Amino acid sequence: MAALRPPVINVIDKAVRRAGRGLVRDFGEVQELQVSRKGTADFVTAADLKAEKTLKEDLSKAHPDWTLHMEESGVSGPPDALTRWIVDPLDGTTNFIHGIPHFAISVAVEESGRITAGAVYHPLTDDFYWAAQGIGAYINDRRLRVSGRRRLDESVVATGIPNMGQGDHERYLATLQAVMGEVASVRRSGSAALDLAYVAAGRYEGFWEFGLKPWDIAAGLLLVREAGGFATAIDGATDPLPAGDVLAANDRMHQAIGRLLRRAMGLRAPRQMTA
Ligand code: 2AM
Ligand code: CA
């Protein structure tokens, strides 16, 4: 049965498809530019800004009374509305610059500090991953569930490796070493928004990364939770949005991967687990 989409999901659907058409056109150009290597980054910045502009137009038109929090332009609209859009017009920028076809638009709705709706759209595959609080997580109209695998040695786990000059490389390598010794395989895709969508879709058993921003993960966190998974900071208990570090997985793997990460980081077990 097709999912009954709340109106806000239809607003997001239309907005991301319009912005996505522009990104697909610009991605075609980037692929042409690969050999010349000149000016690709500037071109991509322009593509990113263009996508953000169309999203801003469409989202603020639908709900002029909501605050907009966007990766490139920061906060706009009424500054202290109880509801805000959290938007990343291009997640996976490094992939886009290099002509790697793996990037997404992420849009979430936060009401009084809670994420209540969100979507991650992959314009090249036309996959629209969406979730609404209490309604579930879907890819287009098909319901999503996190993976049922319960063993580390059968798990494929995704991660994000800190970029040059960013984050704590030593701490990250300790966590990678701990996880890679216990799971079947580790993946690094370059888009945290899609990594979380893939956890919701049951493709990855888990995902962890440090140093993320709210727009990278807001929609993806709801996708994982509405697909029956757990998404917390790496401490296993607190909200990942302010923390910027994320551990998302099914129930069993959230505990198992969390234990490996925290041991590698010299952290104690969480006192209480929350989704
Ligand atoms: P971005 O593509 O929008 O920058 C990759 O590990 C993930 O980290 C992506 O979701 C990427 O989002 C995010 N990220 C956050 N800050 C970043 C930065 N300064 N450079 C590259 N990726 C960053
Ligand atoms: Ca991003």
CSV table of all heavy atoms in Angstrom, one decimal, residues 2 7 19 30-31 36 64 67 70 83-84 105 108 123 136 156 183 186 191 200 204 208 220 236:
chain,number,residue,atom,x,y,z
A,2,ALA,N,0.5,2.2,-0.8
A,2,ALA,CA,1.3,3.5,-0.9
A,2,ALA,C,1.2,4.2,0.5
A,2,ALA,O,0.1,4.2,1.1
A,2,ALA,CB,0.8,4.3,-2.0
A,7,PRO,N,1.5,16.6,4.2
A,7,PRO,CA,1.7,17.7,3.2
A,7,PRO,C,3.2,18.2,3.2
A,7,PRO,O,3.7,18.5,2.1
A,7,PRO,CB,0.8,18.7,3.7
A,7,PRO,CG,-0.3,18.0,4.5
A,7,PRO,CD,0.4,16.8,5.0
A,19,ALA,N,15.5,21.4,-7.3
A,19,ALA,CA,16.9,21.7,-7.1
A,19,ALA,C,17.8,20.6,-7.6
A,19,ALA,O,18.9,20.8,-8.2
A,19,ALA,CB,17.2,21.8,-5.6
A,30,VAL,N,30.5,18.9,-14.7
A,30,VAL,CA,31.6,18.6,-13.9
A,30,VAL,C,32.4,17.4,-14.5
A,30,VAL,O,33.6,17.3,-14.5
A,30,VAL,CB,31.2,18.3,-12.4
A,30,VAL,CG1,32.4,17.7,-11.6
A,30,VAL,CG2,30.8,19.5,-11.7
A,31,GLN,N,31.6,16.4,-14.9
A,31,GLN,CA,32.2,15.2,-15.5
A,31,GLN,C,33.0,15.6,-16.8
A,31,GLN,O,34.1,15.1,-17.0
A,31,GLN,CB,31.1,14.2,-15.9
A,31,GLN,CG,30.6,13.5,-14.7
A,31,GLN,CD,29.5,12.5,-15.0
A,31,GLN,OE1,28.5,12.9,-15.7
A,31,GLN,NE2,29.6,11.3,-14.6
A,36,SER,N,40.2,18.7,-17.5
A,36,SER,CA,40.9,20.1,-17.5
A,36,SER,C,41.4,20.4,-16.1
A,36,SER,O,42.4,21.1,-16.0
A,36,SER,CB,39.9,21.1,-18.0
A,36,SER,OG,39.0,21.5,-17.0
A,64,PRO,N,6.4,30.5,5.1
A,64,PRO,CA,7.1,31.7,5.3
A,64,PRO,C,7.4,32.0,6.8
A,64,PRO,O,8.3,32.8,7.2
A,64,PRO,CB,6.2,32.8,4.7
A,64,PRO,CG,4.9,32.2,4.3
A,64,PRO,CD,5.1,30.7,4.4
A,67,THR,N,11.8,29.3,10.3
A,67,THR,CA,13.2,29.7,10.2
A,67,THR,C,13.8,28.7,9.2
A,67,THR,O,13.5,27.6,9.2
A,67,THR,CB,13.9,29.6,11.5
A,67,THR,OG1,13.2,30.5,12.5
A,67,THR,CG2,15.4,30.0,11.4
A,70,MET,N,20.4,26.9,6.6
A,70,MET,CA,21.0,26.2,5.4
A,70,MET,C,22.5,26.2,5.5
A,70,MET,O,23.1,27.2,6.1
A,70,MET,CB,20.5,26.9,4.2
A,70,MET,CG,19.0,27.2,4.2
A,70,MET,SD,18.4,27.8,2.6
A,70,MET,CE,18.0,26.3,1.8
A,83,THR,N,9.5,26.4,14.6
A,83,THR,CA,9.8,25.4,13.6
A,83,THR,C,10.9,25.9,12.6
A,83,THR,O,10.9,27.1,12.2
A,83,THR,CB,8.5,25.1,12.8
A,83,THR,OG1,7.5,24.7,13.7
A,83,THR,CG2,8.7,23.9,11.8
A,84,ARG,N,11.8,25.0,12.3
A,84,ARG,CA,12.8,25.4,11.3
A,84,ARG,C,13.1,24.3,10.3
A,84,ARG,O,13.0,23.1,10.6
A,84,ARG,CB,14.1,25.9,12.0
A,84,ARG,CG,14.8,24.9,12.8
A,84,ARG,CD,16.2,25.4,13.3
A,84,ARG,NE,16.9,24.4,14.1
A,84,ARG,CZ,18.2,24.3,14.2
A,84,ARG,NH1,19.0,25.2,13.6
A,84,ARG,NH2,18.7,23.4,14.9
A,105,ILE,N,20.6,15.8,-1.6
A,105,ILE,CA,20.0,17.0,-1.0
A,105,ILE,C,19.4,16.5,0.3
A,105,ILE,O,18.7,15.4,0.3
A,105,ILE,CB,19.0,17.6,-1.9
A,105,ILE,CG1,19.6,18.1,-3.2
A,105,ILE,CG2,18.3,18.8,-1.1
A,105,ILE,CD1,18.6,18.5,-4.2
A,108,ALA,N,15.3,18.7,6.5
A,108,ALA,CA,14.6,18.3,7.6
A,108,ALA,C,13.8,19.4,8.2
A,108,ALA,O,14.0,20.6,8.0
A,108,ALA,CB,15.6,17.8,8.7
A,123,PRO,N,19.6,12.7,-6.5
A,123,PRO,CA,19.0,13.1,-7.8
A,123,PRO,C,19.4,12.3,-9.0
A,123,PRO,O,18.6,12.1,-10.0
A,123,PRO,CB,19.4,14.6,-8.0
A,123,PRO,CG,20.5,14.8,-7.0
A,123,PRO,CD,20.4,13.8,-6.0
A,136,GLY,N,6.7,6.5,9.8
A,136,GLY,CA,7.7,5.6,9.2
A,136,GLY,C,8.7,6.2,8.3
A,136,GLY,O,8.6,7.4,8.0
A,156,VAL,N,28.1,-5.0,7.3
A,156,VAL,CA,28.8,-4.0,6.5
A,156,VAL,C,28.6,-2.7,7.2
A,156,VAL,O,27.4,-2.3,7.4
A,156,VAL,CB,28.4,-4.0,5.1
A,156,VAL,CG1,29.0,-2.8,4.3
A,156,VAL,CG2,28.8,-5.3,4.4
A,183,VAL,N,34.2,-6.5,12.1
A,183,VAL,CA,33.0,-6.5,11.2
A,183,VAL,C,33.5,-7.1,9.8
A,183,VAL,O,34.6,-7.2,9.5
A,183,VAL,CB,32.4,-5.1,10.9
A,183,VAL,CG1,31.9,-4.5,12.3
A,183,VAL,CG2,33.3,-4.2,10.2
A,186,VAL,N,34.1,-2.5,5.8
A,186,VAL,CA,33.8,-1.1,6.1
A,186,VAL,C,33.7,-0.4,4.8
A,186,VAL,O,34.4,-0.7,3.9
A,186,VAL,CB,34.9,-0.5,7.0
A,186,VAL,CG1,34.7,0.9,7.2
A,186,VAL,CG2,35.0,-1.3,8.3
A,191,SER,N,29.1,10.8,1.7
A,191,SER,CA,27.8,11.5,2.0
A,191,SER,C,27.2,10.9,3.2
A,191,SER,O,26.6,9.8,3.2
A,191,SER,CB,26.9,11.4,0.8
A,191,SER,OG,25.5,11.8,1.2
A,200,ALA,N,19.0,3.2,7.2
A,200,ALA,CA,17.5,3.0,7.3
A,200,ALA,C,17.0,2.0,6.3
A,200,ALA,O,16.0,1.2,6.6
A,200,ALA,CB,16.8,4.4,7.0
A,204,TYR,N,23.4,-1.0,5.0
A,204,TYR,CA,24.5,-1.0,6.0
A,204,TYR,C,23.9,-1.4,7.4
A,204,TYR,O,22.9,-0.9,7.7
A,204,TYR,CB,25.1,0.4,6.2
A,204,TYR,CG,25.8,1.0,5.0
A,204,TYR,CD1,25.7,2.4,4.8
A,204,TYR,CD2,26.5,0.3,4.1
A,204,TYR,CE1,26.3,3.0,3.7
A,204,TYR,CE2,27.2,0.9,3.0
A,204,TYR,CZ,27.0,2.3,2.8
A,204,TYR,OH,27.6,2.9,1.8
A,208,TRP,N,29.2,5.2,11.5
A,208,TRP,CA,29.7,6.2,12.5
A,208,TRP,C,30.6,7.2,11.8
A,208,TRP,O,31.3,7.0,10.8
A,208,TRP,CB,30.5,5.5,13.7
A,208,TRP,CG,31.9,5.3,13.5
A,208,TRP,CD1,32.9,6.1,14.0
A,208,TRP,CD2,32.6,4.2,12.7
A,208,TRP,NE1,34.2,5.6,13.6
A,208,TRP,CE2,34.0,4.5,12.8
A,208,TRP,CE3,32.1,3.2,12.0
A,208,TRP,CZ2,34.9,3.6,12.2
A,208,TRP,CZ3,33.1,2.3,11.4
A,208,TRP,CH2,34.5,2.6,11.5
A,220,GLY,N,18.6,12.3,8.0
A,220,GLY,CA,19.0,10.9,8.1
A,220,GLY,C,18.8,10.3,9.4
A,220,GLY,O,18.4,9.1,9.5
A,236,GLY,N,26.5,6.8,22.8
A,236,GLY,CA,25.5,5.8,22.9
A,236,GLY,C,24.2,6.3,23.5
A,236,GLY,O,23.2,5.5,23.5
